[in-house]
Amino acid sequence: MNLSDLDRRITECRACPRLVAWREEVARTKRAAFADWTYWGRPVPGFGPADAPLLIIGLAPAAHGANRTGRMFTGDRSGDVLYEALYDLGLASQPTAVSADDGLELYGVRISSPVRCAPPENKPTPTERDTCRSWLVEELTLLRPTLKAVVVLGAFGWQAALPAFAAAGWAVPRPRPVFGHGARVPLGGLDLFGCFHVSQRNTFTGKLTPVMLRDVLRTAAGAAGLTTAP
């Protein structure tokens, strides 16, 4: 088993009836601005090199973002913020992500999420979150030989990811560490960082600024042994 095999299996998953129905309904009805697009409408696999020392974990695909494009954080405002920050740090080849064939490359960074299908109102149920966890566990297991640092975006991702790290063999402290922006938790050979999610609600209100995001990503990249732009 390698990451390519895992990614292919993820795209074929139909385990959660509500999520399957929603992602496919969105792909059929579309948004007017994307009426000429053929939506992806399937679970979204991780994106980035298989030997990445740094992993970024989000929440779930956006209905008209990754559910449309088929690539994590691609085609929506959240992705605009995240990829611009990665580009500024020298960790991405370009500052924008508009489609899966736009030429974007990540350097030493992989992006994933604990839920692979777009959920209604961006709110997966606890059962859907737990059902999807095995994909992240497998991904973490395959990344383990090179993985040195992880940035988790938002409290939901943090709560969903901690059990996955435990299942993949890392020593997660008990009681489980509390999410916070800038939090840093050692997991035995792996540094886990918390960062506010790059949602429009956070970026538009200033709860998360580009400087705040770059600071967390730069610190995590350093922990992963990656060199970033000044």
Side-chain angles (χ1 to χ4, degrees):
M1 171 66 68
N2 57 38
L3 272 175
S4 294
D5 294 331
L6 176 64
D7 290 346
R8 176 187 53 76
R9 289 170 51 223
I10 287 172
T11 66
E12 298 169 351
C13 184
R14 302 182 66 82
C16 300
R18 188 182 78 115
L19 296 188
V20 171
W22 173 251
R23 79 192 190 208
E24 293 180 354
E25 174 66 16
V26 170
R28 282 192 298 270
T29 58
K30 307 182 182 181
R31 177 177 283 171
F34 306 119
D36 59 342
W37 275 76
T38 299
Y39 274 53
W40 173 256
R42 289 182 278 167
V44 181
F47 170 56
D51 60 351
L54 175 59
L55 178 67
I56 298 172
I57 296 177
L59 166 57
H64 301 282
N67 188 57
R68 171 172 59 92
T69 64
R71 191 174 69 192
M72 291 286 180
F73 282 105
T74 297
D76 60 30
R77 294 286 182 87
S78 296
D80 292 344
V81 174
L82 177 60
Y83 285 115
E84 183 174 10
L86 291 172
Y87 175 77
D88 288 346
L89 294 173
L91 300 175
S93 63
Q94 59 193 49
T96 57
V98 296
S99 68
D101 59 358
D102 61 10
L104 174 66
E105 294 182 63
L106 298 181
Y107 306 132
V109 180
R110 186 170 172 87
I111 299 177
S112 188
S113 67
V115 177
R116 306 299 176 130
C117 293
E121 299 181 348
N122 291 322
K123 294 179 180 178
T125 67
T127 298
E128 290 163 349
R129 175 201 64 199
D130 294 347
T131 299
C132 209
R133 180 180 299 136
S134 63
W135 296 125
L136 183 58
V137 173
E138 287 192 57
E139 190 169 20
L140 289 170
T141 301
L142 290 168
L143 288 169
R144 183 161 189 152
T146 59
L147 195 59
K148 298 292 186 294
V150 179
V151 175
V152 181
L153 302 173
F156 179 96
W158 183 270
Q159 294 164 0
L162 287 175
F165 283 107
W170 275 280
V172 176
R174 287 195 174 277
R176 287 178 177 166
V178 176
F179 171 79
H181 181 81
R184 181 172 184 171
V185 179
L187 298 184
L190 176 74
D191 283 318
L192 182 66
F193 295 85
C195 179
F196 291 142
H197 196 279
V198 289
S199 66
Q200 291 186 55
R201 180 175 58 186
N202 288 342
T203 57
F204 283 6
T205 61
K207 182 176 181 178
L208 178 68
T209 66
V211 170
M212 291 167 64
L213 175 60
R214 287 198 302 272
D215 284 348
V216 172
L217 292 175
R218 181 181 287 110
T219 302
L226 296 171
T227 301
T228 56

